[in-house]
């Protein structure tokens, strides 16, 4: 399934789950029977129950007794950090400072992925800005997207593609899309979360990680901005330039340099 058709499917899934949530909101406080919730949607009872279980897993509603469902008081703003960071991660202080610094400058969620040579997957090892209310709400309604942002094949979306484009030797033939990414040193795709995009740049050495003196640093990670897909045009170009400069500064100094000269306006 290509990215466009996958995104269309994800949007439909999200809309159906939101329709069930909307039915609960219409019914108001207190427990409600499954059949009463189903009556306010165009879906069958079995599908409605499946989506109620998804909302329950996301801590948006709960089942006070069999056959009844009730919204939690905090349903409008689910709490708790989404589990985007892979549990096997070994934290690197400077890498955490890098993503936090980029979040402060862009006001968008920032993710840092590395890759596993064993599984051929990209793994999220750091994140900043993921406590935004809208993002938390949409992640809570799309648990599959949380898993895919945390762990996915290298050719799945922008973070993996930007690593893949730079992992292949310069003499090896590349697909046209990977060749374009290698030249631009930035990748942009739709994200696993419907309605959001990923803008990614490669990282040749993880900030804070040891490196052999004089060794040619290979691409080991990708830093990405997760932004709503209405952020088109110049902001995305500026994000790519900003990230490239910030990554370079972090690697050269092994700390995040947060001076104004690294602002997006001067990143060009």
């Amino acid at each position: 399934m290509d990215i466009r058709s996958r995104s269309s499917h994800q949007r439909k899934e999200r809309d159906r789950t939101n329709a069930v949530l909307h039915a609960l909101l219409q019914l108001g406080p207190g427990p409600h029977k499954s059949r009463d919730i189903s009556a306010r949607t165009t879906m069958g009872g079995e599908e409605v129950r499946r989506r109620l279980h998804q909302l329950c897993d996301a801590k948006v509603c709960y089942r006070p007794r069999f056959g009844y469902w009730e919204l939690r008081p905090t349903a409008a703003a689910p709490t708790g950090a989404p589990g985007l960071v892979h549990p096997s991660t070994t934290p690197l202080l400077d890498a955490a400072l890098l993503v936090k610094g980029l979040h402060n400058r862009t006001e968008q969620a920032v993710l840092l992925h590395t890759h596993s040579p064993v599984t051929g997957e990209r793994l999220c090892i750091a994140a900043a800005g993921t406590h935004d209310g809208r993002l938390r709400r949409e992640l809570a309604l799309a648990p599959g997207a949380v898993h895919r942002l945390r762990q996915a094949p290298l050719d799945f979306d922008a973070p993996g593609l930007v690593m893949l484009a730079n992992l292949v030797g310069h003499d090896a033939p590349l697909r046209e899309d990977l060749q374009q990414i290698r030249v631009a040193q930035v990748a942009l795709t739709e994200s696993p979360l419907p309605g959001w995009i990923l803008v990614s740049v490669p990282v040749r050495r993880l900030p804070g990680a040891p490196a052999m003196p004089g060794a040619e640093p290979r691409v080991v990670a990708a830093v990405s901005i997760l932004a709503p897909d209405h952020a088109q045009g110049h902001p995305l170009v500026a994000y790519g330039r900003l990230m490239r400069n910030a990554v370079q500064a972090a690697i050269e100094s092994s700390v995040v340099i947060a001076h104004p000269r690294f602002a997006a306006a001067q990143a060009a």
Side-chain angles (χ1 to χ4, degrees), residues 4-196:
R4 189 169 299 175
S5 60
R6 182 175 68 237
S7 177
S8 175
H9 172 74
Q10 289 172 333
R11 288 173 192 270
K12 288 178 182 177
E13 287 290 295
R14 180 190 63 179
D15 290 345
R16 288 169 182 158
T17 303
N18 279 335
V20 175
L21 175 59
H22 185 63
L24 271 170
L25 290 168
Q26 285 182 319
L27 288 166
H32 303 286
K33 293 181 179 179
S34 297
R35 67 176 181 228
D36 294 334
I37 300 170
S38 298
R40 291 178 176 266
T41 73
T42 59
M43 292 173 277
E46 187 60 36
E47 184 175 8
V48 167
R49 281 189 290 275
R50 179 167 65 86
R51 296 181 187 282
L52 283 166
H53 279 290
Q54 291 176 352
L55 293 170
C56 191
D57 291 342
K59 311 298 185 188
V60 174
C61 72
Y62 67 101
R63 187 165 60 171
R65 57 186 184 274
F66 185 79
Y68 286 81
W69 302 84
E70 184 172 356
L71 280 172
R72 291 184 181 274
T74 56
T79 58
L84 294 178
V85 177
H86 198 274
S88 67
T89 295
T90 300
L92 290 172
L93 176 61
D94 288 355
L97 291 173
L98 170 64
V99 295
K100 184 177 179 181
L102 281 169
H103 165 64
N104 289 340
R105 296 176 210 178
T106 62
E107 298 184 353
Q108 304 287 356
V110 179
L111 309 177
L112 181 67
H113 291 88
T114 190
H115 66 91
S116 167
V118 177
T119 65
E121 293 180 309
R122 58 151 178 77
L123 306 175
C124 185
I125 64 170
T130 58
H131 293 279
D132 171 77
R134 176 187 171 187
L135 177 59
R136 272 196 323 217
R137 169 70 171 273
E138 297 201 16
L139 286 171
L141 296 177
V146 175
H147 173 74
R148 280 306 198 182
L149 285 167
R150 181 173 61 239
Q151 179 176 354
L154 275 177
D155 62 355
F156 188 75
D157 53 17
L161 289 170
V162 83
M163 286 189 280
L164 194 59
N166 287 277
L167 284 169
V168 179
H170 281 274
D171 295 331
L174 272 180
R175 296 187 331 227
E176 183 178 352
D177 60 330
L178 293 178
Q179 182 64 40
Q180 292 174 350
I181 290 170
R182 177 185 280 180
V183 171
Q185 290 296 286
V186 63
L188 188 157
T189 66
E190 293 178 342
S191 84
L193 182 65
W196 296 70

